[in-house]
Amino acid sequence: MSIVDVWSERALQRVEKRDGDHRSAYQRDKARIMHSAAFRRLQAKTQVLGIGISDFYRTRLTHSLEAAQIGTGIASQVWQKQTELAKRLQIDEHLIESLCLAHDIGHPPFGHGGEVALHYMMNDYGGFEGNGQTFRIITKLETYSPDDGMNLARRTLLGLIKYPNYIDNLKNTTITEAKPHTHRLVKSKQWHPPKGLYLCDKAAFDWVVSPLSELDQEIFSESLVGDNRHARTLYKSVDCSIMELADDIAYAIHDLEDAIVMSMVTRDEFQNQVVKAILNMDINGLSENIINITEQLFSAIPYKRKNAIGALVNTFITAISIQKQGIFEADILDYNAKFPAEYAKALSLFKSFVYEFVIRKPELQLLEYKGQQIVMELFEAFSSEPERLLPANTAKRWMEAVELDSKTAPDNQHQQFRVIADYISGMTDEYATRLYTHLFLPKSNAVTDSLTP
């Protein structure tokens, strides 16, 4: 079997043949992702601004669609500028589009607040992290196969592993304090999760990386320990590196547009934090145009703002190239998409601006805190009487997990609580809020509908 065949393999090989279906493995993967329940739920999950504030701004779904458009743009640029290398690495636009569409499907309701809440509640049971949940959804939870989730091609799965190590290995326990006596005292900065996979999904990860040499597997999972922070992984596949850059551009540039349109940031703030720094940098295509771009960004004329957004996205896309790292035996890991240093620094200015002047705004942090509380309250309720409160299909999974945990160790509850985390993380913002209302507000007599996450 050739290396190309190995990476297009699926854990569960399809037996039945469909007449006239000439799609590639990655075209089929894209269809599975787009038709999945997890992907549809992104339309009602927070990206930056909370669901319900306005109909204009981006959700997780529209962000993912924009990331996909940028990702295919990067792939196209690579084929134009580095044709022979693109052929050698088999860079595939359908694959990159699939990765960008799927990269956020594991993120819980209420954005970072929901993630912190679930990690806090799961801290003693393997933790919770959005990217780890994405891997779990595509390899186990979605219903395209009996036991292998979406049953995607191996290379697609590898491309969705942004952090190839386990939360248990990456966690720095010194940054967390003893659990407070009430959920309302949980501090976000002390309970943010390490970025990694769950140990309970080890079999799926082992299958994905099995074509790699033992040395490549070992290096691939290496991590760097930081001062007073969780360890972070260092490497990713070439496809994942393209997806990650597309995600960063979409976050830094497109989410900035939301902030400008909704008057959450001012021109003076942008000039002081971004423009001045870029003017002092020699960035071809950006430094000499940043004044004009700023004029258009903050113009009252919509098409001018769109033109500025397009110019910024194009500047960053066209700066990307595929570079050899000289670390791995396998090309799929040894080559990564990268910015030149000055462009990476420039994009970080945009990302920092969105974070400091939008995400950190008190009004958004209040919404994030509220979502954090909702998720923790739901988790506590469901874990107190799961057979009574969970919907039938989830209660059935919980009972199976109880049996599995009992075989592992008498006091082990890892799989039981993982089922509850799976259930809550699949909720949309609106569904979680409605369920909280039904459970805890005395005047609410409504019964939740049967369309459970």
Side-chain angles (χ1 to χ4, degrees):
M1 180 177 289
S2 70
I3 189 67
V4 174
D5 291 333
V6 167
W7 288 110
S8 62
E9 267 190 322
R10 301 179 190 276
L12 177 65
Q13 293 300 310
R14 192 173 74 180
V15 177
E16 72 277 9
K17 300 292 183 182
R18 293 174 181 167
D19 292 340
D21 187 353
H22 302 297
R23 294 174 299 169
S24 70
Y26 307 122
Q27 287 175 306
R28 291 198 296 272
D29 283 352
K30 181 171 69 174
R32 293 181 184 195
I33 291 163
M34 291 185 69
H35 292 290
S36 68
F39 181 73
R40 291 196 300 275
R41 291 189 190 111
L42 294 178
Q43 66 186 305
K45 288 193 178 188
T46 293
Q47 168 61 12
V48 170
L49 305 177
I51 299 297
I53 294 177
S54 165
D55 290 335
F56 168 81
Y57 60 80
R58 289 156 172 88
T59 64
R60 287 274 180 187
L61 179 63
T62 56
H63 162 77
S64 298
L65 293 171
E66 287 172 335
Q69 182 265 328
I70 293 169
T72 56
I74 296 171
S76 179
Q77 286 291 319
V78 171
W79 272 97
Q80 288 292 321
K81 296 190 300 185
Q82 299 174 281
T83 305
E84 291 305 313
L85 185 57
K87 287 180 181 178
R88 176 179 170 181
L89 297 174
Q90 294 293 302
I91 301 298
D92 187 291
E93 288 190 18
H94 294 292
L95 169 59
I96 301 302
E97 187 175 10
S98 297
L99 301 182
C100 293
L101 291 172
H103 79 281
D104 267 354
I105 61 173
H107 283 263
F110 309 113
H112 182 64
E115 188 176 52
V116 165
L118 284 173
H119 180 60
Y120 173 81
M121 301 304 289
M122 289 293 294
N123 187 60
D124 297 326
Y125 309 102
F128 180 91
E129 198 270 330
N131 297 282
Q133 190 68 18
T134 293
F135 186 73
R136 182 167 173 79
I137 288 170
I138 59 179
T139 59
K140 184 176 180 64
L141 299 181
E142 272 290 346
T143 55
Y144 281 83
S145 66
D147 300 302
D148 297 293
M150 292 187 195
N151 193 34
L152 303 179
R154 194 194 310 262
R155 182 162 175 169
T156 306
L157 297 178
L158 183 70
L160 285 166
I161 300 173
K162 292 176 68 173
Y163 309 105
N165 204 326
Y166 302 106
I167 287 177
D168 300 64
N169 299 335
L170 301 169
K171 183 164 64 174
N172 182 345
T173 57
T174 64
I175 65 174
T176 58
E177 296 179 351
K179 287 191 173 184
H181 67 276
T182 172
H183 294 157
R184 298 189 180 182
L185 296 179
V186 173
K187 297 179 181 178
S188 174
K189 65 181 180 180
Q190 292 174 341
W191 293 97
H192 70 277
K195 293 183 179 295
L197 305 172
Y198 309 141
L199 268 175
C200 58
D201 297 322
K202 184 178 184 300
F205 177 67
D206 287 346
W207 181 82
V208 173
V209 299
S210 60
L212 301 172
S213 69
E214 289 186 12
L215 180 59
D216 273 2
Q217 290 185 39
E218 183 179 341
I219 297 172
F220 188 46
S221 293
E222 285 182 356
S223 61
L224 180 66
V225 179
D227 294 334
N228 200 31
R229 62 179 61 186
H230 300 302
R232 59 181 178 85
T233 59
L234 303 172
Y235 305 111
K236 53 186 63 69
S237 72
V238 62
D239 307 307
C240 185
S241 70
I242 295 174
M243 175 266 282
E244 191 166 48
L245 292 182
D247 183 25
D248 284 348
I249 294 171
Y251 167 79
I253 308 302
H254 285 302
D255 290 354
L256 172 64
E257 181 184 11
D258 283 356
I260 292 172
V261 172
M262 297 184 72
S263 300
M264 298 188 72
V265 296
T266 67
R267 180 170 174 169
D268 285 345
E269 289 170 340
F270 184 74
Q271 286 179 321
N272 289 332
Q273 298 297 316
V274 179
V275 176
K276 285 182 179 179
I278 289 176
L279 285 173
N280 292 326
M281 301 163 66
D282 186 19
I283 306 176
N284 184 40
L286 185 58
S287 294
E288 68 269 28
N289 294 321
I290 192 63
I291 296 296
N292 183 51
I293 287 173
T294 303
E295 291 280 348
Q296 295 186 69
L297 274 177
F298 288 87
S299 170
I301 303 173
Y303 78 81
K304 289 188 174 182
R305 185 177 61 250
K306 286 293 184 185
N307 185 62
I309 293 294
L312 285 170
V313 170
N314 182 71
T315 295
F316 286 108
I317 287 178
T318 54
I320 293 168
S321 64
I322 304 292
Q323 301 174 25
K324 184 176 178 61
Q325 302 183 94
I327 298 170
F328 296 95
E329 298 171 14
D331 284 348
I332 200 170
L333 298 183
D334 204 40
Y335 286 88
N336 269 196
K338 295 182 182 293
F339 283 119
E342 65 272 18
Y343 287 88
K345 185 176 181 181
L347 188 65
S348 71
L349 290 171
F350 284 91
K351 289 173 65 178
S352 296
F353 181 77
V354 171
Y355 180 77
E356 292 296 333
F357 288 87
V358 182
I359 293 175
R360 295 301 300 171
K361 276 186 175 292
E363 52 266 44
L364 291 190
Q365 287 301 303
L366 284 171
L367 290 174
E368 188 175 287
Y369 176 82
K370 176 183 177 181
Q372 182 177 312
Q373 299 305 310
I374 289 173
V375 169
M376 288 189 289
E377 292 285 351
L378 290 176
F379 195 104
E380 187 172 61
F382 289 128
S383 59
S384 68
E385 288 198 78
E387 292 180 85
R388 179 185 181 191
L389 299 177
L390 288 172
N393 60 330
T394 307
K396 181 175 181 291
R397 285 188 58 225
W398 181 83
M399 288 299 297
E400 292 169 352
V402 170
E403 185 177 348
L404 183 62
D405 280 340
S406 67
K407 293 178 180 177
T408 307
D411 298 325
N412 187 12
Q413 294 180 297
H414 281 61
Q415 297 305 311
Q416 299 166 52
F417 284 106
R418 183 60 65 194
V419 168
I420 296 173
D422 289 340
Y423 175 54
I424 295 175
S425 69
M427 295 178 182
T428 63
D429 295 23
E430 193 276 336
Y431 184 91
T433 301
R434 190 167 75 245
L435 191 56
Y436 177 90
T437 299
H438 297 332
L439 277 171
F440 299 113
L441 298 190
K443 292 185 179 181
S444 175
N445 297 315
V447 177
T448 56
D449 58 53
S450 60
L451 298 176
T452 55

